[in-house]
Amino acid sequence: MTHTHEAARRPRMTAAALAIAAALAAPAAHADTQDELKVLKAQIEALQKSLAALEQKQNRIETQVSPANVVTAGATKGSFKLPGSDTSIKIGGYVKLDAIHSSRSAGANSQADLVLVPGSIPVGNAADNEKRQTKLHARQTRLNLGTHTPTAWGDLTTFFEIDFFGADGNEIVSNSNNVRLRHALASLGPLSVGQTWSTFMDPASLPETLDFGGPVGEAFIRQGLVRWTQPFSGGSWSVAAENPESYLTRRNLDGSYATLAPDDDRVPDLVAKLNLNTTLGRFAIAGMARNLRVDTAAVATSVEARDSKWGGALGIYGVIPSVGKDDFRFSLIGGNALGRYIGQGVFTDADVDADGSIHLNTQWGTILSYRHFWADNLRSTLALSAAGADNPRGAVNTNKASQTAHLNLLWSPVPQATLGVEYIYGRLEKEDGRDGRLNRVQASAQYAF
């Protein structure tokens, strides 16, 4: 109850007391004895004490339920504030069940049977893996927490999110899969620090799919970073320093090849991005420079070898509105140090000779997708994607090219729920010409909160 209501109520209570007093006092004016007057005065005093006690009790109740001592609505939609705090808190996430039937298994207990990982599509003898496999899992289920606090230096925001694609659990009994950190990001005004999507990415241009892996040609990576974002009329620009990690193909002394992560990087990946909002749609352009490095301990040779090379990549992204609520989305990425940024690690960043010398290779990826709304709550997306890389000719087991396709039908009976079915196709080609194909059907139910 507000103080305005309190102020309005007290005059009414005082008036009531006076009216009662007047009513009782009227007979007293005509009383013949002094004793009757004393009795009336005592009754009036008792009434006044009762009214005062009632006012004190009402004040205590109002104090207990005043806005300073209750949870209130926050500054952002769906958020709340705790008593005595300026911080708005929002809790969200969803529960999702995926039922997946694949033409080929990627191998025993492989996560690639739960999401599309193009680099794990079985080829050659591996194509004899389990056929017509079915899996049900809820590992995409996630929980997130966001906060918003106004400060003299601008808004202070944080975002924390987890899912359950950490270490595998035991399918025999409990499926106790471990928690995995997705995002842990804090921003004060234009400065952001923590772990989140790479600045080189453009999540808004990714197609809507039930498959958690997504198209092979996407830029897709989360990592630690420091980023400055500056809005301007019609868009924004960003610059960032991000976690470096060289992921290489190594040639051994016997001529064989193997993947290698030296883990001796010294210079952050440097990224810049421009976002533009136009009358034709939303577009983004991103550029990246990386220093790839290898040292002696990482190479299986007695030759003293240390090498590093600078490489780079470019990305162009867009979301173009179409008829009604439909939209066309695209992305095109390429460069000579793209590697681990594309298609969930389908390609390495570069190759290393037996003497430890780094050679940069060209990689590229593209996605074209169209989303059509059959009705306000019924929609479909068709997404076609391809990716390729130049590799050393002798690296017979290295991934050379891949293509994927997604086609779905999604129904949202209420805004918080999505039910759907999706067909997924994937193809992987090795440098020596071997290839493998995957056909998959996925049905999903997702309920957000």
Side-chain angles (χ1 to χ4, degrees), residues 250-294:
R250 179 189 70 198
R251 181 181 181 183
N252 298 321
L253 291 176
D254 61 3
S256 64
Y257 282 81
T259 57
L260 168 70
D263 199 28
D264 194 28
D265 301 280
R266 298 180 179 178
V267 182
D269 293 355
L270 305 176
V271 188
K273 185 178 180 183
L274 177 66
N275 291 302
L276 297 172
N277 299 315
T278 74
T279 56
L280 296 177
R282 179 192 170 279
F283 303 92
I285 302 173
M288 175 172 57
R290 299 178 61 198
N291 181 255
L292 306 177
R293 187 173 185 276
V294 66

Side-chain angles (χ1 to χ4, degrees), residues 36 173 315 359 438:
E36 290 179 345
V173 180
H359 299 276
L438 174 70

Side-chain angles (χ1 to χ4, degrees), residues 99-124:
I100 300 170
H101 183 80
S102 302
S103 61
R104 290 288 188 275
S105 168
N109 299 318
S110 174
Q111 286 194 14
D113 288 333
L114 309 181
V115 299
L116 179 61
V117 181
S120 296
I121 295 175
V123 299

Side-chain angles (χ1 to χ4, degrees), residues 317-331:
Y317 313 92
V319 180
I320 303 174
S322 182
V323 180
K325 297 172 63 176
D326 293 8
D327 62 61
F328 170 71
R329 306 183 187 193
F330 71 90
S331 68

